[in-house]
Amino acid sequence: MMKCFYSVVFLMVIVYGCGPKNQYETDVSDVSVNLEVKRLEKDLFALNPDSIHTAIPDLNEKYGAFFELYNRNVLNIGASNNRAYPDNLRGFLNDHDMNRVQSSIMEDFPDLESIREKLETGFTHYKHYFPEKRVPAVYTFMGGFNQSIVIADSLLAIGLDKYLGRDCEFYDKLGWERYRQKNMHKKKIPSDCMRAWGQTEWPFNDSTDNLLSNMLYKGKLLYFTKSMLPGEPDTLVAGFTRKELDWCIQNEENLWNYLIENKLLYKTEHMTINKMVNPAPFTSGFSKESPGRAVNWLGWKIIEAYMDRNSGITLEELMENQDYQSILTESRYHP
């Protein structure tokens, strides 16, 4: 409220960095999704500050539950029916720095058609694989750098101020590390949205909270994201640069052997797990050329191997399956 190969196929993985050619391809002609993206940030910053009182009912009608969620949980300025709300919103809209951010948003995102098309592709695949599930209403907002993606009750909202580019001056001033900034650009929005939606629909079950379960859960989310956006480059799905993805491909066997030799797969200490699966400058135990979260990519490869060997298993069955030891065993993964 994210293989066990014969030699020829392994060479294909080295060159292309993906699973078997047809693993993500599917016919979605049985589904039609028409997605609209409503831009709250444009409507808010277009308001006449002296007319905020009269604009509130229209904003409530247009943005529904998201408008209150945005006010309460993103901006933290209270509900729109609060007596102090108009003054609180006016203060936000008149803030000099927030106006600079909004100007950058409008410069970088004069329209959202390319993003809308990719999200429409993603949710078309989503309805194909999960016909009983609902497609969310989609919004954008400027939240003062609070959230990237907001999801709640059939809505998905994108904080455009968190996607202003790797070299955005605001991020440097906020002191955000470069390894975090590398994915804060507009091309990352579609894959971030689909991964976040999958994570909300299938949350992690920590009853088996070890490194193996975490990396395979993250691998499932990557597999889900690629299944929703089969044409999206693996670099964007994984959140790696081309150089980082190449490092993973070239060091897949070394990564796996490191986990086995150091008996890390079944470690349950949160510090050990977090430093391996969460964003970091590089992967612990490897050179600074390695990307952080490389084990999540390894989890993705294990999920690909599992699905390749079990062609009768549906994507829904995969996402519902939380027996990560069984997934590993049945994958017969060996890089």
Side-chain angles (χ1 to χ4, degrees), residues 140-335:
T140 62
F141 65 91
M142 194 275 274
F145 306 109
N146 286 328
Q147 281 97 7
S148 301
I149 307 292
V150 173
I151 295 175
D153 290 341
S154 297
L155 69 84
L156 183 154
I158 306 159
L160 296 178
D161 48 327
K162 297 291 287 289
Y163 293 97
L164 293 175
R166 292 168 174 157
D167 298 317
C168 175
E169 62 173 313
F170 301 121
Y171 303 157
D172 287 335
K173 289 180 179 178
L174 289 166
W176 290 345
E177 300 93 336
R178 281 287 169 175
Y179 71 86
R180 294 184 183 274
Q181 292 186 39
K182 73 178 181 181
N183 283 311
M184 299 174 71
H185 58 90
K186 66 175 66 177
K187 288 184 178 180
K188 196 69 180 66
I189 290 176
S191 58
D192 275 4
C193 286
M194 300 314 302
R195 179 190 53 77
W197 189 257
Q199 183 172 341
T200 303
E201 290 292 295
W202 295 277
F204 179 65
N205 181 348
D206 62 0
S207 63
T208 53
D209 193 7
N210 54 31
L211 179 60
L212 175 66
S213 62
N214 276 266
M215 63 187 275
L216 290 190
Y217 173 72
K218 302 286 188 182
K220 284 203 304 185
L221 292 178
L222 292 171
Y223 188 92
F224 169 84
T225 303
K226 184 72 174 183
S227 297
M228 300 303 101
L229 298 166
E232 202 76 342
D234 285 5
T235 50
L236 292 178
V237 173
F240 293 161
T241 64
R242 182 70 251 178
K243 184 177 180 180
E244 289 172 338
L245 182 59
D246 287 343
W247 185 94
C248 287
I249 294 168
Q250 293 160 11
N251 288 276
E252 182 176 0
E253 184 175 359
N254 293 333
L255 274 168
W256 181 245
N257 288 340
Y258 177 81
L259 297 179
I260 299 299
E261 290 168 4
N262 289 277
K263 298 183 170 67
L264 292 175
L265 285 181
Y266 303 103
K267 290 287 187 180
T268 58
E269 295 87 352
H270 285 169
M271 183 175 295
T272 300
I273 295 171
N274 289 339
K275 73 179 181 180
M276 299 297 283
V277 304
N278 289 337
F282 58 93
T283 292
S284 177
F286 288 86
S287 69
K288 292 185 177 180
E289 283 69 41
S290 66
R293 302 175 293 116
V295 298
N296 298 347
W297 176 86
L298 201 64
W300 184 11
K301 299 301 106 181
I302 294 171
I303 297 298
E304 283 187 336
Y306 172 75
M307 293 299 283
D308 190 36
R309 287 189 173 276
N310 297 275
S311 58
I313 292 177
T314 67
L315 183 58
E316 184 167 17
E317 289 170 335
L318 170 68
M319 299 308 293
E320 295 288 347
N321 188 352
Q322 298 177 21
D323 187 348
Y324 296 108
Q325 180 59 58
S326 175
I327 289 175
L328 175 62
T329 301
E330 293 182 32
S331 74
R332 300 187 218 170
Y333 175 76
H334 185 74

Side-chain angles (χ1 to χ4, degrees), residues 36-207:
E36 179 185 8
V37 179
K38 295 181 180 179
R39 300 192 64 172
L40 178 58
E41 80 288 345
K42 285 184 70 173
D43 286 348
L44 284 181
F45 280 88
L47 290 177
N48 182 335
D50 297 325
S51 304
I52 287 177
H53 281 89
T54 59
I56 291 173
D58 290 338
L59 290 168
N60 264 313
E61 181 177 357
K62 182 174 182 179
Y63 291 97
F66 175 61
F67 188 56
E68 291 306 319
L69 181 66
Y70 174 74
N71 291 320
R72 291 171 180 264
N73 300 97
V74 179
L75 293 187
N76 297 307
I77 60 175
S80 63
N81 61 1
N82 189 298
R83 180 177 298 181
Y85 174 78
D87 288 336
N88 292 339
L89 180 59
R90 187 179 295 109
F92 173 71
L93 297 178
N94 286 337
D95 184 90
H96 174 70
D97 290 333
M98 294 301 97
N99 275 273
R100 288 185 60 217
V101 175
Q102 178 61 15
S103 294
S104 294
I105 288 175
M106 292 309 300
E107 183 177 343
D108 281 15
F109 300 95
D111 70 76
L112 295 175
E113 185 57 20
S114 62
I115 293 170
R116 187 202 66 78
E117 288 178 352
K118 285 203 171 186
L119 289 178
E120 190 170 272
T121 294
F123 282 106
T124 296
H125 283 76
Y126 181 70
K127 283 295 289 182
H128 168 78
Y129 285 109
F130 311 100
E132 302 303 317
K133 292 185 177 290
R134 292 181 59 185
V135 171
V138 180
Y139 307 97
T140 62
F141 65 91
M142 194 275 274
F145 306 109
N146 286 328
Q147 281 97 7
S148 301
I149 307 292
V150 173
I151 295 175
D153 290 341
S154 297
L155 69 84
L156 183 154
I158 306 159
L160 296 178
D161 48 327
K162 297 291 287 289
Y163 293 97
L164 293 175
R166 292 168 174 157
D167 298 317
C168 175
E169 62 173 313
F170 301 121
Y171 303 157
D172 287 335
K173 289 180 179 178
L174 289 166
W176 290 345
E177 300 93 336
R178 281 287 169 175
Y179 71 86
R180 294 184 183 274
Q181 292 186 39
K182 73 178 181 181
N183 283 311
M184 299 174 71
H185 58 90
K186 66 175 66 177
K187 288 184 178 180
K188 196 69 180 66
I189 290 176
S191 58
D192 275 4
C193 286
M194 300 314 302
R195 179 190 53 77
W197 189 257
Q199 183 172 341
T200 303
E201 290 292 295
W202 295 277
F204 179 65
N205 181 348
D206 62 0
S207 63

